[in-house]
Amino acid sequence: MPLSALDRRIWAITLPAFAALICEPLMLMADTAIVGHLGRAELASLGAASTILSTIVGLCVFLAYGSTATVSRHQGAGEPRRALEAALGGVWLALLIGLVLGAVVASAAGPLGAALSSSARVADLTSDYLLIAAASIPAVLLVLAATGALRGVLDLRTPLVVMIVANVLNVVLTVGLVYGAGLGIRGAALGLVLAQWAAALALVGQVLRRSVASHASARLRWADVARAGRDGVPLLLRTLSLRAVLLLATLVAAGFGDAALAAHQIATTVVLLLAFALDAFAIAAQTLTGHSLGSGDAEGTRAVTRRVIAWGLGFGVVAGVLLAVTAPWVARAFSPDADVRAAAVPALLLVALIQPVSGIVFVLDGVLIGAGDGVYLAWAGLVTLLVYAPVALLIRATGAGFTWLWAAYALFQATRWVTLWWRQRGDRWMVLGAA
């Protein structure tokens, strides 16, 4: 069946968004492969430091989401100048937050390294890496804000090209600094810093060029910074609730032993991999929802919602079936340990079972983010956490078993679906116009 014009618009955003999304984990994979040849201690220190940096970036993803929603709404309302001024407000906010967080991580590199390390040598290496890599934090946050802004004006190509170039640059620099210059783990950190700042400057430069063309002021406007921060707080709270669920699940899994914890890592990795694809659909939902609401098109917004739900559900069904069929081989690919595989396969089957619901959850999350309905999303995130946490803790207290923990994950996703589906059925989130 041929694709409709709306379907083509959705895929024109989804495909480059997905390609850009996987660039960050690919950069980490490249660093892992390069540093892994230095030795066990160096690889362990990279793992510890990456956990800290990825947590910071994950919590600050609101800089991208909030910017996309605001910029796309003004763009849809026929206000390109205001759209770019709002985008620059997000860029300034990202820079300010990044400088503060970078300074905090640099100053606390020693204690952070000691807290997450398994030996004195790993702690020293982790501290060395963090001390240098802290300089990449402002750049990464600028990349988030600028990428979100460019998505809002339907420019998906620039972030994709920039991130591909940044990945190649990171590999070249890291290999040269680690082995050519003999800097070891410090060279890997420096390569990351240089590659991320190159990406940040390129993306912010593109936003500035668009601002000049739209006669938007690039100077620091505290009102726009405050607006970006105000819009970002609910999305930050939403993200915190999701992170709390992931952390609690890991803690409960650890209580069931090494095999269960290893199986939990396998299932979590698969969930995160599938999330990249679903996040790409969510980005399409954010962008198109913001545009249609900004233009005052209520029926167009409903049409976007229906189509992204259909695509999210379709992807979830296909992914679920494929995962259910291949679950034993997926587990075997990750681990040769029979006990780990025995624990992982039922968890993967539960992930497969809930995938259709997950597909709807991700796209509805994107629709409501694009509508600027962050306050509701924050409350919905709290509700789902309050449903999940007692169940997870009960599973740990009763020793019900690792498989039940992933049944609780299915309950978590189902609860998210209920809260988001109920919201989208009403009209309170459909605020038309540029406001």
Side-chain angles (χ1 to χ4, degrees):
M1 184 176 67
L3 296 178
S4 68
L6 178 55
D7 289 327
R8 288 194 293 272
R9 292 183 71 196
I10 291 171
W11 280 99
I13 298 172
T14 300
L15 291 177
F18 173 73
L21 283 170
I22 64 173
C23 282
E24 281 294 337
L26 286 177
M27 189 177 291
L28 177 59
M29 287 175 62
D31 284 356
T32 301
I34 295 168
V35 171
H37 289 84
L38 290 173
R40 181 186 302 175
E42 286 80 1
L43 185 57
S45 67
L46 178 64
S50 296
T51 298
I52 296 168
L53 296 175
S54 63
T55 299
I56 292 172
V57 174
L59 291 176
C60 291
V61 74
F62 70 87
L63 291 165
Y65 291 167
S67 187
T68 297
T70 304
V71 172
S72 62
R73 182 178 285 269
H74 284 293
Q75 193 76 9
E79 300 177 353
R81 177 177 176 178
R82 188 71 197 97
L84 270 300
E85 288 175 347
L88 289 167
V91 169
W92 278 110
L93 178 65
L95 179 60
L96 295 172
I97 293 176
L99 290 173
V100 172
L101 291 176
V104 169
V105 170
S107 61
L112 288 172
L116 292 178
S117 298
S118 54
S119 67
R121 173 159 172 74
V122 171
D124 289 340
L125 290 171
T126 303
S127 299
D128 289 345
Y129 186 94
L130 285 175
L131 188 62
I132 298 172
S136 72
I137 293 176
V140 176
L141 301 197
L142 285 171
V143 167
L144 288 175
T147 298
L150 292 172
R151 288 173 185 162
V153 296
L154 296 177
D155 181 2
L156 280 295
R157 181 179 178 276
T158 299
L160 174 58
V161 171
V162 168
M163 292 313 299
I164 290 174
V165 173
N167 268 264
V168 174
L169 181 62
N170 176 66
V171 171
V172 173
L173 288 173
T174 302
V175 170
L177 292 168
V178 170
Y179 297 107
L183 295 179
I185 191 73
R186 298 179 184 87
L190 184 56
L192 175 70
V193 170
L194 295 174
Q196 292 287 16
W197 271 107
L201 292 174
L203 290 172
V204 172
Q206 182 63 22
V207 173
L208 289 173
R209 282 192 290 273
R210 287 180 173 272
S211 300
V212 171
S214 300
H215 306 289
S217 173
R219 65 183 176 86
L220 176 59
R221 296 161 60 100
W222 287 108
D224 287 331
V225 173
R227 163 72 183 272
R230 195 164 56 246
D231 291 346
V233 168
L235 295 178
L236 173 61
L237 295 176
R238 160 198 167 274
T239 304
L240 280 171
S241 67
L242 298 178
R243 289 276 170 175
V245 167
L246 292 175
L247 177 60
L248 179 58
T250 302
L251 292 174
V252 173
F256 291 121
D258 291 348
L261 185 58
H264 182 73
Q265 177 61 24
I266 293 172
T268 301
T269 299
V270 171
V271 167
L272 294 177
L273 177 63
L274 293 172
F276 280 116
L278 291 174
D279 236 0
F281 284 109
I283 288 169
Q286 291 172 32
T287 305
L288 295 177
T289 298
H291 272 259
S292 58
L293 288 176
S295 64
D297 186 1
E299 181 52 40
T301 303
R302 287 295 184 190
V304 167
T305 303
R306 288 192 296 269
R307 290 311 295 165
V308 292
I309 287 175
W311 282 113
L313 176 61
F315 178 86
V317 170
V318 172
V321 170
L322 290 175
L323 180 57
V325 171
T326 61
W329 291 274
V330 171
R332 184 180 294 275
F334 279 97
S335 175
D337 189 298
D339 290 337
V340 172
R341 295 201 305 270
V345 170
L348 291 173
L349 291 175
L350 285 166
V351 172
L353 179 66
I354 204 65
Q355 273 310 293
V357 171
S358 295
I360 298 174
V361 164
F362 270 80
V363 296
L364 286 181
D365 204 43
V367 166
L368 297 181
I369 289 173
D373 202 21
V375 173
Y376 178 81
L377 290 172
W379 283 109
L382 179 60
V383 168
T384 54
L385 177 59
L386 291 176
V387 169
Y388 175 82
V391 175
L393 293 173
L394 181 63
I395 290 170
R396 174 167 181 158
T398 60
F402 173 69
T403 301
W404 280 103
L405 179 62
W406 280 90
Y409 166 78
L411 173 65
F412 163 71
Q413 287 292 72
T415 305
R416 290 185 71 195
W417 173 78
V418 170
T419 59
L420 297 175
W421 189 265
W422 178 82
R423 183 64 166 181
Q424 70 86 26
R425 284 177 59 86
D427 295 325
R428 295 187 64 181
W429 60 277
M430 291 184 62
V431 180
L432 302 179

